[in-house]
mmCIF file of all heavy atoms in Angstrom:
data_model
loop_
_atom_site.group_PDB
_atom_site.id
_atom_site.type_symbol
_atom_site.label_atom_id
_atom_site.label_comp_id
_atom_site.label_asym_id
_atom_site.label_seq_id
_atom_site.Cartn_x
_atom_site.Cartn_y
_atom_site.Cartn_z
ATOM 1 N N LEU A 22 0.858 -1.179 0.000
ATOM 2 C CA LEU A 22 0.000 0.000 0.000
ATOM 3 C C LEU A 22 0.896 1.232 0.000
ATOM 4 O O LEU A 22 1.685 1.406 0.924
ATOM 5 C CB LEU A 22 -0.899 0.010 1.234
ATOM 6 C CG LEU A 22 -1.831 -1.183 1.391
ATOM 7 C CD1 LEU A 22 -2.537 -1.109 2.721
ATOM 8 C CD2 LEU A 22 -2.834 -1.236 0.265
ATOM 9 N N PRO A 23 0.780 2.070 -1.002
ATOM 10 C CA PRO A 23 1.636 3.264 -1.048
ATOM 11 C C PRO A 23 1.168 4.327 -0.051
ATOM 12 O O PRO A 23 0.489 5.282 -0.406
ATOM 13 C CB PRO A 23 1.474 3.736 -2.492
ATOM 14 C CG PRO A 23 0.139 3.227 -2.914
ATOM 15 C CD PRO A 23 -0.090 1.954 -2.152
ATOM 16 N N ILE A 24 1.520 4.136 1.210
ATOM 17 C CA ILE A 24 1.062 5.047 2.269
ATOM 18 C C ILE A 24 2.021 6.220 2.376
ATOM 19 O O ILE A 24 3.223 6.055 2.512
ATOM 20 C CB ILE A 24 0.956 4.307 3.614
ATOM 21 C CG1 ILE A 24 -0.102 3.221 3.507
ATOM 22 C CG2 ILE A 24 0.649 5.272 4.741
ATOM 23 C CD1 ILE A 24 -0.259 2.388 4.753
ATOM 24 N N ASP A 25 1.451 7.419 2.300
ATOM 25 C CA ASP A 25 2.192 8.656 2.470
ATOM 26 C C ASP A 25 1.744 9.251 3.797
ATOM 27 O O ASP A 25 0.554 9.377 4.055
ATOM 28 C CB ASP A 25 1.883 9.599 1.300
ATOM 29 C CG ASP A 25 2.652 10.894 1.373
ATOM 30 O OD1 ASP A 25 3.461 11.058 2.293
ATOM 31 O OD2 ASP A 25 2.433 11.754 0.509
ATOM 32 N N GLU A 26 2.672 9.596 4.659
ATOM 33 C CA GLU A 26 2.348 10.102 5.995
ATOM 34 C C GLU A 26 1.460 11.347 5.971
ATOM 35 O O GLU A 26 0.675 11.573 6.865
ATOM 36 C CB GLU A 26 3.632 10.395 6.777
ATOM 37 C CG GLU A 26 4.449 9.167 7.102
ATOM 38 C CD GLU A 26 3.727 8.194 8.008
ATOM 39 O OE1 GLU A 26 2.964 8.631 8.884
ATOM 40 O OE2 GLU A 26 3.924 6.983 7.820
ATOM 41 N N SER A 27 1.583 12.167 4.942
ATOM 42 C CA SER A 27 0.817 13.406 4.897
ATOM 43 C C SER A 27 -0.617 13.188 4.413
ATOM 44 O O SER A 27 -1.465 14.038 4.598
ATOM 45 C CB SER A 27 1.512 14.418 3.982
ATOM 46 O OG SER A 27 1.571 13.911 2.660
ATOM 47 N N ARG A 28 -0.889 12.058 3.804
ATOM 48 C CA ARG A 28 -2.238 11.785 3.288
ATOM 49 C C ARG A 28 -3.085 11.062 4.321
ATOM 50 O O ARG A 28 -2.583 10.376 5.188
ATOM 51 C CB ARG A 28 -2.165 10.905 2.036
ATOM 52 C CG ARG A 28 -1.642 11.601 0.841
ATOM 53 C CD ARG A 28 -1.880 10.716 -0.351
ATOM 54 N NE ARG A 28 -1.191 11.228 -1.520
ATOM 55 C CZ ARG A 28 -0.916 10.502 -2.563
ATOM 56 N NH1 ARG A 28 -1.255 9.239 -2.615
ATOM 57 N NH2 ARG A 28 -0.304 11.019 -3.593
ATOM 58 N N LYS A 29 -4.393 11.217 4.138
ATOM 59 C CA LYS A 29 -5.342 10.530 5.005
ATOM 60 C C LYS A 29 -6.021 9.386 4.269
ATOM 61 O O LYS A 29 -7.011 8.855 4.735
ATOM 62 C CB LYS A 29 -6.411 11.515 5.487
ATOM 63 C CG LYS A 29 -5.871 12.638 6.336
ATOM 64 C CD LYS A 29 -6.983 13.564 6.736
ATOM 65 C CE LYS A 29 -6.453 14.747 7.529
ATOM 66 N NZ LYS A 29 -7.512 15.682 7.882
ATOM 67 N N TRP A 30 -5.487 9.014 3.113
ATOM 68 C CA TRP A 30 -6.081 7.959 2.300
ATOM 69 C C TRP A 30 -5.009 7.218 1.518
ATOM 70 O O TRP A 30 -3.888 7.686 1.407
ATOM 71 C CB TRP A 30 -7.126 8.542 1.340
ATOM 72 C CG TRP A 30 -6.595 9.627 0.456
ATOM 73 C CD1 TRP A 30 -6.528 10.961 0.756
ATOM 74 C CD2 TRP A 30 -6.016 9.491 -0.843
ATOM 75 N NE1 TRP A 30 -5.949 11.659 -0.277
ATOM 76 C CE2 TRP A 30 -5.632 10.780 -1.278
ATOM 77 C CE3 TRP A 30 -5.792 8.413 -1.682
ATOM 78 C CZ2 TRP A 30 -5.036 10.993 -2.511
ATOM 79 C CZ3 TRP A 30 -5.200 8.641 -2.911
ATOM 80 C CH2 TRP A 30 -4.837 9.927 -3.310
ATOM 81 N N VAL A 31 -5.378 6.024 1.004
ATOM 82 C CA VAL A 31 -4.485 5.191 0.209
ATOM 83 C C VAL A 31 -5.273 4.655 -0.985
ATOM 84 O O VAL A 31 -6.393 4.177 -0.819
ATOM 85 C CB VAL A 31 -3.969 3.988 1.038
ATOM 86 C CG1 VAL A 31 -3.172 3.039 0.174
ATOM 87 C CG2 VAL A 31 -3.158 4.447 2.200
ATOM 88 N N ARG A 32 -4.688 4.730 -2.167
ATOM 89 C CA ARG A 32 -5.314 4.141 -3.348
ATOM 90 C C ARG A 32 -4.966 2.658 -3.369
ATOM 91 O O ARG A 32 -3.797 2.285 -3.305
ATOM 92 C CB ARG A 32 -4.825 4.818 -4.619
ATOM 93 C CG ARG A 32 -5.559 4.391 -5.860
ATOM 94 C CD ARG A 32 -5.137 5.184 -7.071
ATOM 95 N NE ARG A 32 -5.221 6.628 -6.897
ATOM 96 C CZ ARG A 32 -6.336 7.337 -7.023
ATOM 97 N NH1 ARG A 32 -7.461 6.742 -7.299
ATOM 98 N NH2 ARG A 32 -6.318 8.641 -6.861
ATOM 99 N N LEU A 33 -5.992 1.808 -3.432
ATOM 100 C CA LEU A 33 -5.760 0.365 -3.449
ATOM 101 C C LEU A 33 -5.297 -0.071 -4.829
ATOM 102 O O LEU A 33 -5.869 0.343 -5.836
ATOM 103 C CB LEU A 33 -7.040 -0.394 -3.084
ATOM 104 C CG LEU A 33 -7.505 -0.281 -1.652
ATOM 105 C CD1 LEU A 33 -8.796 -1.060 -1.455
ATOM 106 C CD2 LEU A 33 -6.449 -0.799 -0.704
ATOM 107 N N PRO A 34 -4.283 -0.912 -4.881
ATOM 108 C CA PRO A 34 -3.814 -1.403 -6.176
ATOM 109 C C PRO A 34 -4.782 -2.444 -6.740
ATOM 110 O O PRO A 34 -4.783 -3.591 -6.332
ATOM 111 C CB PRO A 34 -2.457 -2.023 -5.848
ATOM 112 C CG PRO A 34 -2.515 -2.331 -4.401
ATOM 113 C CD PRO A 34 -3.477 -1.384 -3.775
ATOM 114 N N SER A 35 -5.656 -2.012 -7.640
ATOM 115 C CA SER A 35 -6.633 -2.906 -8.252
ATOM 116 C C SER A 35 -6.823 -2.503 -9.698
ATOM 117 O O SER A 35 -6.914 -1.320 -10.010
ATOM 118 C CB SER A 35 -7.966 -2.824 -7.506
ATOM 119 O OG SER A 35 -8.930 -3.606 -8.154
ATOM 120 N N GLU A 36 -6.879 -3.494 -10.577
ATOM 121 C CA GLU A 36 -7.059 -3.210 -11.998
ATOM 122 C C GLU A 36 -8.526 -3.012 -12.348
ATOM 123 O O GLU A 36 -8.861 -2.279 -13.265
ATOM 124 C CB GLU A 36 -6.484 -4.361 -12.821
ATOM 125 C CG GLU A 36 -4.999 -4.549 -12.599
ATOM 126 C CD GLU A 36 -4.538 -5.941 -12.976
ATOM 127 O OE1 GLU A 36 -5.332 -6.701 -13.551
ATOM 128 O OE2 GLU A 36 -3.368 -6.250 -12.706
ATOM 129 N N ASN A 37 -9.415 -3.677 -11.610
ATOM 130 C CA ASN A 37 -10.828 -3.673 -11.962
ATOM 131 C C ASN A 37 -11.596 -2.466 -11.429
ATOM 132 O O ASN A 37 -12.539 -2.011 -12.059
ATOM 133 C CB ASN A 37 -11.502 -4.943 -11.439
ATOM 134 C CG ASN A 37 -10.822 -6.190 -11.959
ATOM 135 O OD1 ASN A 37 -10.166 -6.159 -12.987
ATOM 136 N ND2 ASN A 37 -10.983 -7.278 -11.245
ATOM 137 N N ILE A 38 -11.215 -1.971 -10.270
ATOM 138 C CA ILE A 38 -11.971 -0.882 -9.653
ATOM 139 C C ILE A 38 -11.033 0.230 -9.206
ATOM 140 O O ILE A 38 -9.853 0.003 -8.963
ATOM 141 C CB ILE A 38 -12.785 -1.382 -8.431
ATOM 142 C CG1 ILE A 38 -11.861 -2.026 -7.397
ATOM 143 C CG2 ILE A 38 -13.879 -2.324 -8.843
ATOM 144 C CD1 ILE A 38 -12.543 -2.398 -6.113
ATOM 145 N N ARG A 39 -11.573 1.430 -9.110
ATOM 146 C CA ARG A 39 -10.823 2.554 -8.541
ATOM 147 C C ARG A 39 -11.232 2.665 -7.077
ATOM 148 O O ARG A 39 -12.269 3.226 -6.749
ATOM 149 C CB ARG A 39 -11.157 3.833 -9.298
ATOM 150 C CG ARG A 39 -10.624 3.845 -10.709
ATOM 151 C CD ARG A 39 -10.974 5.120 -11.387
ATOM 152 N NE ARG A 39 -12.440 5.262 -11.392
ATOM 153 C CZ ARG A 39 -13.127 5.947 -12.276
ATOM 154 N NH1 ARG A 39 -12.507 6.575 -13.229
ATOM 155 N NH2 ARG A 39 -14.432 6.017 -12.221
ATOM 156 N N ALA A 40 -10.418 2.084 -6.223
ATOM 157 C CA ALA A 40 -10.757 2.011 -4.809
ATOM 158 C C ALA A 40 -9.776 2.810 -3.976
ATOM 159 O O ALA A 40 -8.578 2.785 -4.217
ATOM 160 C CB ALA A 40 -10.763 0.560 -4.354
ATOM 161 N N ILE A 41 -10.323 3.507 -2.988
ATOM 162 C CA ILE A 41 -9.527 4.329 -2.087
ATOM 163 C C ILE A 41 -9.884 3.956 -0.654
ATOM 164 O O ILE A 41 -11.059 3.860 -0.297
ATOM 165 C CB ILE A 41 -9.764 5.823 -2.348
ATOM 166 C CG1 ILE A 41 -9.241 6.178 -3.746
ATOM 167 C CG2 ILE A 41 -9.104 6.678 -1.282
ATOM 168 C CD1 ILE A 41 -9.534 7.561 -4.196
ATOM 169 N N LEU A 42 -8.865 3.742 0.152
ATOM 170 C CA LEU A 42 -9.016 3.382 1.551
ATOM 171 C C LEU A 42 -8.836 4.651 2.380
ATOM 172 O O LEU A 42 -7.771 5.272 2.329
ATOM 173 C CB LEU A 42 -7.922 2.378 1.894
ATOM 174 C CG LEU A 42 -8.070 1.457 3.056
ATOM 175 C CD1 LEU A 42 -9.100 0.403 2.739
ATOM 176 C CD2 LEU A 42 -6.740 0.798 3.330
ATOM 177 N N VAL A 43 -9.857 5.046 3.112
ATOM 178 C CA VAL A 43 -9.765 6.200 4.004
ATOM 179 C C VAL A 43 -9.185 5.704 5.324
ATOM 180 O O VAL A 43 -9.737 4.818 5.957
ATOM 181 C CB VAL A 43 -11.150 6.846 4.217
ATOM 182 C CG1 VAL A 43 -11.045 8.032 5.154
ATOM 183 C CG2 VAL A 43 -11.744 7.270 2.886
ATOM 184 N N LEU A 44 -8.046 6.264 5.731
ATOM 185 C CA LEU A 44 -7.290 5.714 6.867
ATOM 186 C C LEU A 44 -7.909 6.011 8.227
ATOM 187 O O LEU A 44 -7.828 5.206 9.135
ATOM 188 C CB LEU A 44 -5.853 6.226 6.824
ATOM 189 C CG LEU A 44 -5.041 5.768 5.617
ATOM 190 C CD1 LEU A 44 -3.669 6.409 5.624
ATOM 191 C CD2 LEU A 44 -4.927 4.262 5.574
ATOM 192 N N GLU A 45 -8.520 7.166 8.381
ATOM 193 C CA GLU A 45 -9.079 7.538 9.680
ATOM 194 C C GLU A 45 -10.419 6.837 9.921
ATOM 195 O O GLU A 45 -11.295 6.870 9.067
ATOM 196 C CB GLU A 45 -9.291 9.054 9.748
ATOM 197 C CG GLU A 45 -8.011 9.851 9.739
ATOM 198 C CD GLU A 45 -7.168 9.605 10.963
ATOM 199 O OE1 GLU A 45 -7.715 9.520 12.069
ATOM 200 O OE2 GLU A 45 -5.941 9.484 10.808
ATOM 201 N N PRO A 46 -10.603 6.212 11.079
ATOM 202 C CA PRO A 46 -11.898 5.589 11.391
ATOM 203 C C PRO A 46 -13.000 6.634 11.536
ATOM 204 O O PRO A 46 -12.729 7.790 11.874
ATOM 205 C CB PRO A 46 -11.652 4.889 12.725
ATOM 206 C CG PRO A 46 -10.193 4.877 12.930
ATOM 207 C CD PRO A 46 -9.614 5.982 12.120
ATOM 208 N N ILE A 47 -14.239 6.218 11.267
ATOM 209 C CA ILE A 47 -15.389 7.121 11.365
ATOM 210 C C ILE A 47 -16.402 6.575 12.367
ATOM 211 O O ILE A 47 -16.339 5.407 12.749
ATOM 212 C CB ILE A 47 -16.078 7.325 9.995
ATOM 213 C CG1 ILE A 47 -16.607 5.984 9.469
ATOM 214 C CG2 ILE A 47 -15.132 7.975 9.003
ATOM 215 C CD1 ILE A 47 -17.518 6.111 8.262
ATOM 216 N N ARG A 48 -17.352 7.417 12.765
ATOM 217 C CA ARG A 48 -18.469 6.964 13.598
ATOM 218 C C ARG A 48 -19.367 6.062 12.755
ATOM 219 O O ARG A 48 -19.509 6.246 11.560
ATOM 220 C CB ARG A 48 -19.283 8.147 14.095
ATOM 221 C CG ARG A 48 -18.592 8.982 15.118
ATOM 222 C CD ARG A 48 -19.539 9.995 15.777
ATOM 223 N NE ARG A 48 -20.663 10.403 14.980
ATOM 224 C CZ ARG A 48 -20.726 11.523 14.249
ATOM 225 N NH1 ARG A 48 -19.683 12.325 14.209
ATOM 226 N NH2 ARG A 48 -21.796 11.831 13.571
ATOM 227 N N GLY A 49 -20.000 5.111 13.376
ATOM 228 C CA GLY A 49 -20.833 4.164 12.653
ATOM 229 C C GLY A 49 -22.167 4.699 12.207
ATOM 230 O O GLY A 49 -22.858 4.062 11.420
ATOM 231 N N ASN A 50 -22.563 5.869 12.670
ATOM 232 C CA ASN A 50 -23.890 6.374 12.336
ATOM 233 C C ASN A 50 -23.869 7.490 11.283
ATOM 234 O O ASN A 50 -24.816 8.255 11.171
ATOM 235 C CB ASN A 50 -24.596 6.869 13.604
ATOM 236 C CG ASN A 50 -23.839 7.990 14.285
ATOM 237 O OD1 ASN A 50 -22.716 8.307 13.913
ATOM 238 N ND2 ASN A 50 -24.452 8.578 15.298
ATOM 239 N N LEU A 51 -22.809 7.594 10.500
ATOM 240 C CA LEU A 51 -22.733 8.643 9.481
ATOM 241 C C LEU A 51 -23.590 8.288 8.261
ATOM 242 O O LEU A 51 -23.676 7.124 7.881
ATOM 243 C CB LEU A 51 -21.292 8.853 9.027
ATOM 244 C CG LEU A 51 -20.342 9.502 10.030
ATOM 245 C CD1 LEU A 51 -18.978 9.687 9.398
ATOM 246 C CD2 LEU A 51 -20.876 10.827 10.506
ATOM 247 N N SER A 52 -24.169 9.292 7.655
ATOM 248 C CA SER A 52 -24.962 9.078 6.439
ATOM 249 C C SER A 52 -24.042 9.062 5.221
ATOM 250 O O SER A 52 -22.863 9.409 5.301
ATOM 251 C CB SER A 52 -25.990 10.196 6.297
ATOM 252 O OG SER A 52 -25.324 11.428 6.076
ATOM 253 N N MET A 53 -24.623 8.683 4.082
ATOM 254 C CA MET A 53 -23.847 8.687 2.833
ATOM 255 C C MET A 53 -23.375 10.091 2.494
ATOM 256 O O MET A 53 -22.264 10.284 2.018
ATOM 257 C CB MET A 53 -24.696 8.135 1.678
ATOM 258 C CG MET A 53 -24.957 6.660 1.784
ATOM 259 S SD MET A 53 -25.795 6.000 0.338
ATOM 260 C CE MET A 53 -27.464 6.525 0.639
ATOM 261 N N GLU A 54 -24.215 11.076 2.738
ATOM 262 C CA GLU A 54 -23.854 12.459 2.451
ATOM 263 C C GLU A 54 -22.692 12.920 3.332
ATOM 264 O O GLU A 54 -21.821 13.664 2.884
ATOM 265 C CB GLU A 54 -25.067 13.385 2.639
ATOM 266 C CG GLU A 54 -26.129 13.231 1.588
ATOM 267 C CD GLU A 54 -27.032 12.025 1.814
ATOM 268 O OE1 GLU A 54 -27.011 11.443 2.917
ATOM 269 O OE2 GLU A 54 -27.746 11.647 0.871
ATOM 270 N N SER A 55 -22.684 12.476 4.593
ATOM 271 C CA SER A 55 -21.580 12.832 5.491
ATOM 272 C C SER A 55 -20.275 12.205 5.017
ATOM 273 O O SER A 55 -19.217 12.842 5.051
ATOM 274 C CB SER A 55 -21.875 12.363 6.917
ATOM 275 O OG SER A 55 -23.023 12.989 7.418
ATOM 276 N N MET A 56 -20.350 10.959 4.548
ATOM 277 C CA MET A 56 -19.156 10.304 4.017
ATOM 278 C C MET A 56 -18.668 11.015 2.758
ATOM 279 O O MET A 56 -17.471 11.217 2.568
ATOM 280 C CB MET A 56 -19.440 8.829 3.719
ATOM 281 C CG MET A 56 -19.641 7.994 4.945
ATOM 282 S SD MET A 56 -19.967 6.292 4.476
ATOM 283 C CE MET A 56 -20.576 5.639 6.001
ATOM 284 N N ALA A 57 -19.610 11.418 1.909
ATOM 285 C CA ALA A 57 -19.241 12.146 0.693
ATOM 286 C C ALA A 57 -18.606 13.493 1.035
ATOM 287 O O ALA A 57 -17.663 13.927 0.370
ATOM 288 C CB ALA A 57 -20.467 12.346 -0.193
ATOM 289 N N SER A 58 -19.085 14.152 2.079
ATOM 290 C CA SER A 58 -18.485 15.434 2.462
ATOM 291 C C SER A 58 -17.086 15.230 3.047
ATOM 292 O O SER A 58 -16.211 16.071 2.862
ATOM 293 C CB SER A 58 -19.388 16.190 3.433
ATOM 294 O OG SER A 58 -19.461 15.519 4.664
ATOM 295 N N ILE A 59 -16.851 14.106 3.740
ATOM 296 C CA ILE A 59 -15.498 13.791 4.219
ATOM 297 C C ILE A 59 -14.556 13.656 3.030
ATOM 298 O O ILE A 59 -13.441 14.171 3.030
ATOM 299 C CB ILE A 59 -15.497 12.508 5.076
ATOM 300 C CG1 ILE A 59 -16.168 12.757 6.417
ATOM 301 C CG2 ILE A 59 -14.075 11.982 5.283
ATOM 302 C CD1 ILE A 59 -16.386 11.509 7.254
ATOM 303 N N ILE A 60 -15.028 12.960 1.996
ATOM 304 C CA ILE A 60 -14.219 12.758 0.793
ATOM 305 C C ILE A 60 -13.913 14.096 0.118
ATOM 306 O O ILE A 60 -12.767 14.396 -0.216
ATOM 307 C CB ILE A 60 -14.935 11.813 -0.194
ATOM 308 C CG1 ILE A 60 -15.071 10.418 0.415
ATOM 309 C CG2 ILE A 60 -14.184 11.740 -1.521
ATOM 310 C CD1 ILE A 60 -16.074 9.534 -0.296
ATOM 311 N N ALA A 61 -14.935 14.890 -0.066
ATOM 312 C CA ALA A 61 -14.779 16.141 -0.813
ATOM 313 C C ALA A 61 -14.014 17.212 -0.034
ATOM 314 O O ALA A 61 -13.170 17.902 -0.603
ATOM 315 C CB ALA A 61 -16.148 16.668 -1.223
ATOM 316 N N PHE A 62 -14.310 17.362 1.258
ATOM 317 C CA PHE A 62 -13.739 18.477 2.006
ATOM 318 C C PHE A 62 -12.529 18.103 2.865
ATOM 319 O O PHE A 62 -11.536 18.814 2.890
ATOM 320 C CB PHE A 62 -14.818 19.140 2.860
ATOM 321 C CG PHE A 62 -15.948 19.695 2.034
ATOM 322 C CD1 PHE A 62 -17.210 19.134 2.116
ATOM 323 C CD2 PHE A 62 -15.738 20.738 1.145
ATOM 324 C CE1 PHE A 62 -18.248 19.628 1.340
ATOM 325 C CE2 PHE A 62 -16.767 21.234 0.365
ATOM 326 C CZ PHE A 62 -18.028 20.673 0.470
ATOM 327 N N ASP A 63 -12.611 16.998 3.589
ATOM 328 C CA ASP A 63 -11.489 16.613 4.452
ATOM 329 C C ASP A 63 -10.332 16.013 3.656
ATOM 330 O O ASP A 63 -9.173 16.284 3.922
ATOM 331 C CB ASP A 63 -11.938 15.622 5.521
ATOM 332 C CG ASP A 63 -12.884 16.240 6.531
ATOM 333 O OD1 ASP A 63 -13.061 17.475 6.498
ATOM 334 O OD2 ASP A 63 -13.445 15.497 7.348
ATOM 335 N N LEU A 64 -10.668 15.148 2.677
ATOM 336 C CA LEU A 64 -9.625 14.496 1.886
ATOM 337 C C LEU A 64 -9.274 15.276 0.625
ATOM 338 O O LEU A 64 -8.280 14.985 -0.029
ATOM 339 C CB LEU A 64 -10.063 13.080 1.494
ATOM 340 C CG LEU A 64 -10.457 12.154 2.641
ATOM 341 C CD1 LEU A 64 -10.905 10.810 2.106
ATOM 342 C CD2 LEU A 64 -9.319 11.993 3.623
ATOM 343 N N ASP A 65 -10.126 16.221 0.267
ATOM 344 C CA ASP A 65 -9.922 17.059 -0.911
ATOM 345 C C ASP A 65 -9.794 16.218 -2.191
ATOM 346 O O ASP A 65 -8.908 16.429 -3.015
ATOM 347 C CB ASP A 65 -8.691 17.948 -0.732
ATOM 348 C CG ASP A 65 -8.712 19.138 -1.673
ATOM 349 O OD1 ASP A 65 -9.821 19.573 -2.050
ATOM 350 O OD2 ASP A 65 -7.624 19.615 -2.045
ATOM 351 N N LEU A 66 -10.709 15.250 -2.331
ATOM 352 C CA LEU A 66 -10.730 14.391 -3.512
ATOM 353 C C LEU A 66 -12.017 14.622 -4.299
ATOM 354 O O LEU A 66 -13.057 14.871 -3.708
ATOM 355 C CB LEU A 66 -10.654 12.913 -3.097
ATOM 356 C CG LEU A 66 -9.348 12.458 -2.463
ATOM 357 C CD1 LEU A 66 -9.498 11.051 -1.901
ATOM 358 C CD2 LEU A 66 -8.228 12.493 -3.478
ATOM 359 N N PRO A 67 -11.969 14.519 -5.624
ATOM 360 C CA PRO A 67 -13.186 14.686 -6.415
ATOM 361 C C PRO A 67 -14.068 13.441 -6.327
ATOM 362 O O PRO A 67 -13.575 12.329 -6.129
ATOM 363 C CB PRO A 67 -12.659 14.871 -7.839
ATOM 364 C CG PRO A 67 -11.351 14.161 -7.844
ATOM 365 C CD PRO A 67 -10.787 14.315 -6.465
ATOM 366 N N LEU A 68 -15.364 13.641 -6.439
ATOM 367 C CA LEU A 68 -16.325 12.534 -6.428
ATOM 368 C C LEU A 68 -16.610 12.134 -7.876
ATOM 369 O O LEU A 68 -17.483 12.686 -8.526
ATOM 370 C CB LEU A 68 -17.605 12.941 -5.705
ATOM 371 C CG LEU A 68 -17.428 13.305 -4.237
ATOM 372 C CD1 LEU A 68 -18.701 13.886 -3.665
ATOM 373 C CD2 LEU A 68 -16.991 12.102 -3.446
ATOM 374 N N ILE A 69 -15.869 11.150 -8.367
ATOM 375 C CA ILE A 69 -15.975 10.716 -9.756
ATOM 376 C C ILE A 69 -16.774 9.412 -9.801
ATOM 377 O O ILE A 69 -16.459 8.475 -9.056
ATOM 378 C CB ILE A 69 -14.573 10.491 -10.361
ATOM 379 C CG1 ILE A 69 -13.781 11.791 -10.296
ATOM 380 C CG2 ILE A 69 -14.662 9.977 -11.788
ATOM 381 C CD1 ILE A 69 -12.317 11.627 -10.639
#
């Protein structure tokens, strides 16, 4: 896993899917929209 200390995520090496592992644990009661906002704002990644 190409882990960079400054990042909060890791891109999984997969040919079939574009998968990203978010390293920080989350609360179990988050909605899909809350997870999407973590991706967009905290991780600064586009939602493709």
